[in-house]
Amino acid sequence: MNTIKYLKELSDQEREKFFDSFDLVFCDCDGVIWYPLRDFIPGSAEALAHLESRGKQVTFVTNNSISSMKEHIEKFAQQGNLKIKEHQIVHPAQTICDHLKSINFEGLIYCLATPPFRQVLKDAGFQLTEEGFLIEWHWHHQKPQGSSRSHLWRRVRRSCHHRCGL
């Protein structure tokens, strides 16, 4: 049975054995490197620099598409004084682009996403609808007969660009 060991409590020999046991580190950004959408967590930049000084490859994983890859790289440089390259970041928009390319997708994309996410798709050569469906949800507070619940209904107004074909 494995027991939890804290890095700071390891002997020098145990610490060396630990660092020699791997080559690649996958590291989430929000909540691990920096507070979500904010500043670096104290000590995280130093820990990353230490890993790199030991020859470890570090790949940063984010599910945050609010910030672009460029903004992530700038944040690493400005707040952590770290030189991170684009290939070191796994970003949701880039992952989607890679998948779409792998299946040779050439159609029109209706994309509900942040502007940076949409821009990555456009920069990769994918065609996105200019506008999408505008979905409006309304609560109708009349009780349907025999029901004590409010009735939810939706109205979809099509305001899609003519290329949607709808």
Side-chain angles (χ1 to χ4, degrees):
M1 184 168 155
N2 292 335
T3 57
I4 296 175
K5 295 182 181 182
Y6 296 95
L7 198 56
K8 288 183 176 183
E9 297 173 1
L10 296 178
S11 68
D12 290 344
Q13 185 180 7
E14 290 172 315
R15 194 174 301 117
E16 287 303 313
K17 184 178 178 183
F18 168 73
F19 281 114
D20 288 344
S21 70
F22 61 89
D23 301 307
L24 174 66
V25 177
F26 281 113
C27 187
D28 193 1
C29 294
D30 287 331
V32 177
I33 303 300
W34 50 66
Y35 297 109
L37 304 176
R38 297 195 330 233
D39 297 331
F40 264 65
I41 295 173
S44 62
E46 293 83 2
L48 293 170
H50 181 75
L51 287 168
E52 288 187 349
S53 75
R54 297 187 70 99
K56 305 302 175 186
Q57 296 176 339
V58 182
T59 297
F60 302 96
V61 181
T62 183
N63 62 349
N64 179 346
S65 64
I66 293 172
S67 301
S68 67
M69 295 238 290
K70 180 181 176 195
E71 290 169 323
H72 277 77
I73 291 168
E74 289 171 356
K75 188 173 196 171
F76 278 111
Q78 292 170 356
Q79 292 189 20
N81 200 29
L82 299 165
K83 294 183 181 186
I84 304 301
K85 302 206 175 14
E86 196 169 296
H87 74 272
Q88 289 180 267
I89 299 174
V90 178
H91 187 276
Q94 188 58 52
T95 302
I96 295 296
C97 285
D98 294 345
H99 170 70
L100 292 172
K101 288 177 182 178
S102 76
I103 63 170
N104 298 315
F105 183 82
E106 295 180 359
L108 185 63
I109 299 170
Y110 171 66
C111 181
L112 293 171
T114 61
F117 192 108
R118 292 175 60 85
Q119 191 60 50
V120 170
L121 291 170
K122 289 177 184 177
D123 291 348
F126 293 104
Q127 292 185 331
L128 278 62
T129 58
E130 296 300 320
E131 298 178 38
F133 285 114
L134 183 59
I135 300 174
E136 299 173 0
W137 292 91
H138 297 277
W139 284 99
H140 183 63
H141 293 288
Q142 295 178 353
K143 293 180 186 175
Q145 280 189 318
S147 173
S148 61
R149 293 181 172 171
S150 293
H151 180 66
L152 173 66
W153 63 280
R154 72 177 175 158
R155 177 175 51 129
V156 177
R157 182 179 65 194
R158 293 179 184 186
S159 62
C160 187
H161 191 272
H162 63 84
R163 293 185 307 172
C164 292
L166 300 172

